Amino acid sequence: MKKVIILGSSGSIGLQTADICLQLKDKISVVGLSVRSKTEVLKKQIKTFKPKAICLEESADNFSNFKNWIKINSPKTKLFFGAVGLEKLVSSVEADTLVAAIVGAAALKPIIAAIKTKKNIALANKEIVVMAGAEIMKLAAENGVSILPVDSEHSAVFQCSRGEDKKQIKNIILTASGGPFYKYDGDFSKITADKALKHPTWKMGRKITIDSATLMNKGLEAIEASVLFGLPIDRIKIVIHPQSIIHSLVEYVDGAALAQLSNPDMRLPIQYALTYPRRMPSKFIKPLNLAALSKLEFFEPDFKKFPCLKLAYSAANAGGAQPAILNAANETAVEAFLDGRILFTDIAKIVEKTMKLFKGIKKTGIDSLIEADLAARKKAHSLIESAESNLK
Ligand code: MG
C-alpha cells in the first residue's frame, strides 16, 4: 500500500489525483489532504479517504463551521491551518509520496519539509522548480528521494529516458499546443481573460491556462526540464504541436528520437508518478486510435509574438535569481490580468521590467531566493499600478 498526501486536492490536478487514488484504492491510500478554502470538496474527500490529517491553507478564523463538522464527522482527523500548518501536515504524517498540486511559490516550504522527511515528490508545481530547482534537486539527492514529474511534457521525457544513459541525450524537445493564440494575427493587447481562458486541448487551472496563452508556461517548462534532467537550457527545444498527442521527445546522440504519445489527459502522467516504477491499467485514458488521427502537425514557436518565451530563456541563461524573479513577476502579472487590471500584453512587459530591475542579484540558496521572490512581487505590484493608471 502506497501512502499519499495530496496538497491542493480541490484544484484541477488535485481532483484528478483523487480520482486515480480512488480507482487504485487497493494500492494507494490517501493519508493527508489540503485545500485553500473549498471545504465542500474537502468534506467529500474526507468521507472517501478518511485521511489522518488535513490542512486548510487559510487562517483558522475562517473555518469555525468546518471545525465543528470535523469534530462530529471525522474526530480522528488532525486539523491544520495556514502556511505553517501545511508544513506541519507534510512533516508529521507518514507517507511515501507527496503530490504537490498547489500553484505557485507557496508550495516551496511544504515541498522542502516533505523532502526532509524522506517523501518522494510527485511534482505538479513547476513554479518552485523554476524558482529554486537546483536547491530542490540537491536536497532530494541528499535525502535519497525521487522527484517524479507530473507535468505531461516532463513525464513524457521521464518515460522516454528511463534506463538510458543521460549523457547520451542530445536534446529534449518539448511540445506545446501553442495555446489559443498561436495562429492569431490580431491585436494581442485586446485579448481578454475570458478569451485567454479557453484552451483548445487541455482543461487546466486558471493561472496555467493564461501561462499557456502567453507561452510563458512553455518557457517555465523549458527551465523545469533543464533542472530536472540536468541539461543546459540551449539543449531544451520547443516545437508547437497543436494536437497535443506527442507529449515530448528525447533526442539521442545516434539520431534516434523517442516520443511518448497518448490522448491528452493529465490522469496519465499523474498516475505514472503515483505508480512509478510500475504501470497500471487506467479506466480514464482513451486508447490512441492512430488510424483515426488524420494528422500530427509541428511548427516553430514564434518568439516575437510570444515574448514571454524569450524572457524565460534569457532568465535561464542569466541564472542566479533571475528565474525566480521571472516567475514571481509572472505570477503577480497573471493575477492582475485575470482581475482585469492590466492588458494581456502587459504581462510580458511587467516581467521584463522586473527582471531588468533585479539583474544584479546573483545570490542563490533558498532563503535569498525567497527574498528575491518577495522583492520581485512587490516591484511587479507597483509596475501593475502604473500600468493601470496608464489604462485609465
Ligand atoms: Mg505541461
Side-chain angles (χ1 to χ4, degrees), residues 31 106 148 207 227 242 252 260 291 311 364 366 382:
V31 293
L148 304 157
K207 194 260 176 185
V227 172
Y252 288 92
Q260 187 253 329
L311 291 171
T364 50
I366 283 174
S382 69

Short mmCIF file of all heavy atoms in Angstrom, two decimals, residues 31 106 148 207 227 242 252 260 291 311 364 366 382:
data_model
loop_
_atom_site.label_atom_id
_atom_site.label_comp_id
_atom_site.label_asym_id
_atom_site.label_seq_id
_atom_site.Cartn_x
_atom_site.Cartn_y
_atom_site.Cartn_z
N VAL A 31 -3.49 9.69 2.86
CA VAL A 31 -3.37 9.90 4.30
C VAL A 31 -3.40 11.38 4.70
O VAL A 31 -3.54 11.72 5.86
CB VAL A 31 -2.08 9.25 4.86
CG1 VAL A 31 -2.16 7.73 4.75
CG2 VAL A 31 -0.85 9.77 4.11
N ALA A 106 3.98 29.18 -3.14
CA ALA A 106 3.51 28.72 -1.83
C ALA A 106 3.85 27.26 -1.57
O ALA A 106 3.85 26.81 -0.43
CB ALA A 106 2.00 28.92 -1.72
N LEU A 148 9.31 13.10 -9.06
CA LEU A 148 8.60 12.47 -10.17
C LEU A 148 7.73 13.50 -10.87
O LEU A 148 6.79 14.02 -10.27
CB LEU A 148 7.72 11.33 -9.61
CG LEU A 148 8.50 10.29 -8.79
CD1 LEU A 148 7.58 9.55 -7.84
CD2 LEU A 148 9.23 9.33 -9.70
N LYS A 207 -4.47 29.91 -13.71
CA LYS A 207 -3.14 30.51 -13.85
C LYS A 207 -2.39 29.86 -15.00
O LYS A 207 -1.84 30.53 -15.88
CB LYS A 207 -2.38 30.39 -12.53
CG LYS A 207 -1.14 31.25 -12.44
CD LYS A 207 0.12 30.48 -12.71
CE LYS A 207 1.34 31.39 -12.72
NZ LYS A 207 2.54 30.64 -13.11
N VAL A 227 16.36 21.82 -15.38
CA VAL A 227 16.69 21.47 -13.99
C VAL A 227 16.50 19.98 -13.73
O VAL A 227 17.39 19.29 -13.22
CB VAL A 227 15.82 22.28 -13.01
CG1 VAL A 227 16.00 21.79 -11.58
CG2 VAL A 227 16.11 23.77 -13.11
N PRO A 242 -0.11 21.36 -32.27
CA PRO A 242 -1.45 21.72 -31.81
C PRO A 242 -2.32 20.54 -31.36
O PRO A 242 -3.22 20.73 -30.55
CB PRO A 242 -2.08 22.38 -33.05
CG PRO A 242 -0.94 22.74 -33.94
CD PRO A 242 0.16 21.78 -33.65
N TYR A 252 18.52 11.44 -29.01
CA TYR A 252 19.79 10.86 -28.55
C TYR A 252 20.91 11.12 -29.55
O TYR A 252 20.65 11.50 -30.70
CB TYR A 252 19.60 9.36 -28.29
CG TYR A 252 18.78 9.12 -27.04
CD1 TYR A 252 17.39 8.98 -27.11
CD2 TYR A 252 19.37 9.12 -25.78
CE1 TYR A 252 16.63 8.81 -25.97
CE2 TYR A 252 18.62 8.94 -24.63
CZ TYR A 252 17.25 8.79 -24.73
OH TYR A 252 16.50 8.64 -23.59
N GLN A 260 6.67 10.09 -26.43
CA GLN A 260 5.56 9.46 -25.72
C GLN A 260 4.26 10.04 -26.26
O GLN A 260 4.11 11.26 -26.35
CB GLN A 260 5.67 9.69 -24.21
CG GLN A 260 4.65 8.93 -23.39
CD GLN A 260 3.56 9.83 -22.83
OE1 GLN A 260 3.80 11.00 -22.53
NE2 GLN A 260 2.36 9.30 -22.72
N ALA A 291 -5.09 5.32 -36.64
CA ALA A 291 -5.68 5.45 -37.97
C ALA A 291 -6.68 6.61 -38.02
O ALA A 291 -6.87 7.23 -39.06
CB ALA A 291 -6.34 4.15 -38.37
N LEU A 311 11.77 35.62 -22.70
CA LEU A 311 12.16 36.06 -21.35
C LEU A 311 12.57 34.86 -20.49
O LEU A 311 13.53 34.94 -19.72
CB LEU A 311 11.00 36.81 -20.68
CG LEU A 311 10.65 38.17 -21.28
CD1 LEU A 311 9.35 38.70 -20.69
CD2 LEU A 311 11.78 39.17 -21.04
N THR A 364 22.20 32.71 -4.71
CA THR A 364 21.22 31.63 -4.70
C THR A 364 21.10 31.13 -3.26
O THR A 364 21.50 31.83 -2.34
CB THR A 364 21.65 30.48 -5.63
OG1 THR A 364 22.99 30.16 -5.34
CG2 THR A 364 21.52 30.88 -7.08
N ILE A 366 18.12 28.88 -0.78
CA ILE A 366 16.66 29.00 -0.71
C ILE A 366 16.21 30.31 -0.06
O ILE A 366 15.31 30.98 -0.56
CB ILE A 366 16.06 27.75 -0.03
CG1 ILE A 366 16.08 26.62 -1.06
CG2 ILE A 366 14.63 28.01 0.46
CD1 ILE A 366 15.68 25.28 -0.59
N SER A 382 3.94 47.32 -8.04
CA SER A 382 3.97 48.77 -8.31
C SER A 382 3.97 49.03 -9.81
O SER A 382 3.38 50.00 -10.28
CB SER A 382 5.12 49.45 -7.56
OG SER A 382 6.34 49.06 -8.11
#
